[in-house]
Every structure is written in C-alpha cells, then in structure tokens.
Amino acid sequence: MALRIGPAFQRVATVVIIVGLSTLVVLLGMQNNELKEELNRLKSGPVTLKVGDTVHVLNGATLAGTRESIPLSDGTHTHLLFMFSTSCHFCIKSVAEWNRLADTCAHRNIQVWGVTTKDTASTWAFVRGNSVRFPVLIESDSEYVGVFKVFGVPQTILVSEAGIVIGHWAGEIDRSRTSEIFKKLAL
C-alpha cells in the first residue's frame, strides 16, 4: 500500500522548505558581511597606538615575580616604554639605544620600562645576555595587545604625565630615532 501525500501537505512542506532556505540565505548573507568587514580591517594593517591615544596603567610582573601596577596618567611622571620580545632580532639591536635613553632619563622625571609577554626565564636570559639597564615587566598577552595595541615589536612609546601618547616609534631604535626621542623629551 503506497502512502499518498495530499496537496495540502505538499503546500505546507513547500512553505516550510522555502522559509528554511530563506533563513539560511539571510544568515549566510550576515556572515558574509562580517567576513568582508574583517577582511577590510586586516587590509588596513594592524591597529597601533597613535599620538593622542590615552593609556592609563601598565600592569605586569617584575623579574622578581611581584605584580606591579604603574599608573601612567597620575600627573607625576612621563613614561618611556620599550615593547620587546626576547626572540626579536630588532629588539636585541635596539637595546643599546634603549639603555642610552634609560641612562639619560634616570635623573629626570621620566620612568622607563621594558615590557614583554615572554616567560620569566627567557626574559631573564634576554636581560642578562644584552646588559639591559632598565626595569622590565612581563605583561599578559591580552593587555599587551588590547591596551597597548602591540602587534609587532620593537615599539617605543612615550606617554605624558596625563597618560597621553606623545610619541610612538615602531621598529628598531637607532641613533637617529634616539635623537628624535631626545627632542620629544626636550633633553
């Protein structure tokens, strides 16, 4: 005995299929728009800090393992931040100039910090092996990328007492860039 489907059931089934396919088309269209937006964002390059951006606090662990929270907008100090990776060739090449900047800033109202996301052991090895003469913090990846927008290293960031970025240099720091930073610091 064959099962006979009546015309009313066929119409209902057709409507259900059309509604299901229409919903699928709408959902795929929304996903397509999201992917286009993401592609356009990626084409424009990584988002980095710009002069005029605001950063309020620097959090991280010292090499001794203590947690630090350094206010960058407390109105008392200018801050010079060196964002680096322990495995970055250009970071290693920048250390001599970063040391020179740190030495010059030591007796002024300028706090200098090196910041990395690497583990304590590799950071210790980097500091010792490259004779780093400035304090270093190990920051979590989420804050490093989210707050400071660090998608590549090295980066050197100058922050005013109000927490406003007043200078940003991406890439290796050489003598000419150090001179630019000295000019920004009026040194």
Side-chain angles (χ1 to χ4, degrees):
M1 174 166 151
L3 181 63
R4 293 186 52 92
I5 299 174
F9 179 78
Q10 286 178 345
R11 280 187 292 242
V12 170
T14 302
V15 168
V16 168
I17 290 171
I18 290 172
V19 168
L21 289 173
S22 297
T23 302
L24 185 60
V25 166
V26 168
L27 291 173
L28 288 172
M30 290 169 49
Q31 183 182 31
N32 188 38
N33 284 338
E34 289 173 10
L35 290 171
K36 283 180 183 177
E37 289 173 10
E38 181 68 13
L39 181 61
N40 287 334
R41 187 184 68 75
L42 290 172
K43 283 181 181 178
S44 66
V47 177
T48 60
L49 280 178
K50 294 175 182 55
V51 172
D53 286 350
T54 304
V55 288
H56 297 288
V57 68
L58 174 63
N59 293 308
T62 65
L63 290 173
T66 60
R67 295 289 306 164
E68 291 284 337
S69 184
I70 291 93
L72 301 176
S73 58
D74 65 357
T76 60
H77 296 92
T78 298
H79 300 271
L80 189 56
L81 310 175
F82 309 136
M83 306 300 196
F84 70 93
S85 171
T86 59
S87 58
C88 164
H89 170 73
F90 297 106
C91 298
I92 293 167
K93 289 178 72 175
S94 297
V95 169
E97 291 302 310
W98 283 341
N99 279 337
R100 195 161 79 97
L101 284 161
D103 292 345
T104 303
C105 294
H107 302 292
R108 293 177 170 74
N109 201 31
I110 303 164
Q111 286 189 344
V112 177
W113 291 94
V115 184
T116 187
T117 59
K118 297 300 181 181
D119 63 273
T120 305
S122 63
T123 303
W124 264 116
F126 180 90
V127 167
R128 287 185 191 124
N130 294 289
S131 303
V132 170
R133 296 193 304 261
F134 46 85
V136 173
L137 288 178
I138 300 170
E139 168 114 38
S140 71
D141 277 328
S142 60
E143 286 195 43
Y144 196 69
V145 172
V147 175
F148 292 96
K149 302 176 187 174
V150 177
F151 291 95
V153 289
Q155 290 189 35
T156 304
I157 303 167
L158 181 59
V159 182
S160 75
E161 294 101 349
I164 298 169
V165 175
I166 54 177
H168 181 265
W169 297 267
E172 181 183 340
I173 297 296
D174 56 16
R175 287 241 180 228
S176 66
R177 284 193 162 178
T178 301
S179 295
E180 287 177 40
I181 296 168
F182 283 143
K183 285 179 187 172
K184 278 276 192 202
L185 291 167
L187 298 175

